Amino acid sequence: MSKTYHKFDRNDRGEPLNVDGYPPCGALVKSREGIPPTTQQGGELSFRRSEKEIQQAKRDLNLCEGYTLVEILAILILIGILVAIVSPQVLLVNKSLPSATTQLISTFKFARAKAITTTSYYRIKPDPGAAIPANQLLVEYNTTSCTATTGWTTDYSFSTSDLTFPIKVQMVQPTTINGIAQATATSWSLCYKPRGLADNDVQLTLQDLKSNKTQTVEVFLGGGVTP
């Protein structure tokens, strides 16, 4: 089956078409097989078919109609609104794990600096009083030693927001202390001494529970920390 295309001399308002002889939008009106349309008469298409065929031809011709400037601006504004709504959510998901990693490293570094400047012992560990201990840290200090069982005081200069990881990010296995795997992801603590040395080599794993991506953070005996 072959399809023929016909060009008109005038548009539906009786105005001349463009120099190529086609409708202004460059569209072609498809004829039905073997029964081409007649020339345009009085702004209407005359087909040798039923009214249904004529209406279909009109719909085909209407496909060449474009959008007004107002319609285009409305669409662009709608797209802009949708992008503004979705983008922060996408960025939040994509940056949750890096943000949590930065928080953890910053907490270790700040605790080390405090231990040195105050000649105290600073201990960091999962917060046992938090709703999700694997999602929040606790920072304490004393003036005795890292092995003291009493005398630990919470340092509130570390805000809860600084010690709480972004939503859906938690500490997971494997967790090691001096190369020894621990029973759970929260079975660890690390203490900085007044000279900035750590009492243990601790390796922690953070996981974004939504994307399942993980990041390892390790604190060395010398006090340094690296992702």
Side-chain angles (χ1 to χ4, degrees), residues 204-216:
L204 307 175
T205 304
L206 296 176
Q207 182 179 42
D208 185 326
L209 302 181
K210 188 168 185 177
S211 65
N212 289 325
K213 293 182 179 180
T214 60
Q215 176 66 59
T216 299

Side-chain angles (χ1 to χ4, degrees), residues 124 126 173-191 199-204 218-219 221:
I124 307 99
Q173 294 284 55
T175 299
T176 65
I177 297 178
N178 299 324
I180 301 174
Q182 302 303 296
T184 67
T186 56
S187 301
W188 66 272
S189 68
L190 181 123
C191 180
D199 65 336
N200 292 303
D201 182 307
V202 177
Q203 187 176 86
L204 307 175
E218 184 172 5
V219 181
L221 293 174

Side-chain angles (χ1 to χ4, degrees), residues 102-118 120-125 127 136-142 152-165 188 190-192:
T102 300
Q103 278 183 259
L104 183 58
I105 293 174
S106 296
T107 298
F108 284 134
K109 289 183 176 180
F110 189 26
R112 183 178 185 233
K114 297 264 299 191
I116 294 173
T117 57
T118 63
S120 301
Y121 297 84
Y122 266 76
R123 182 170 69 182
I124 307 99
K125 65 179 183 179
D127 189 348
Q136 189 169 323
L137 301 173
L138 175 66
V139 179
E140 305 171 310
Y141 68 94
N142 73 42
W152 290 99
T153 302
T154 300
D155 188 339
Y156 290 104
S157 64
F158 293 80
S159 66
T160 301
S161 60
D162 291 335
L163 299 176
T164 304
F165 301 136
W188 66 272
L190 181 123
C191 180
Y192 280 111

Side-chain angles (χ1 to χ4, degrees), residues 50-62:
S50 65
E51 181 66 23
K52 181 178 180 180
E53 290 287 337
I54 295 175
Q55 295 302 321
Q56 180 61 50
K58 289 182 178 180
R59 286 194 292 270
D60 290 343
L61 188 58
N62 287 337

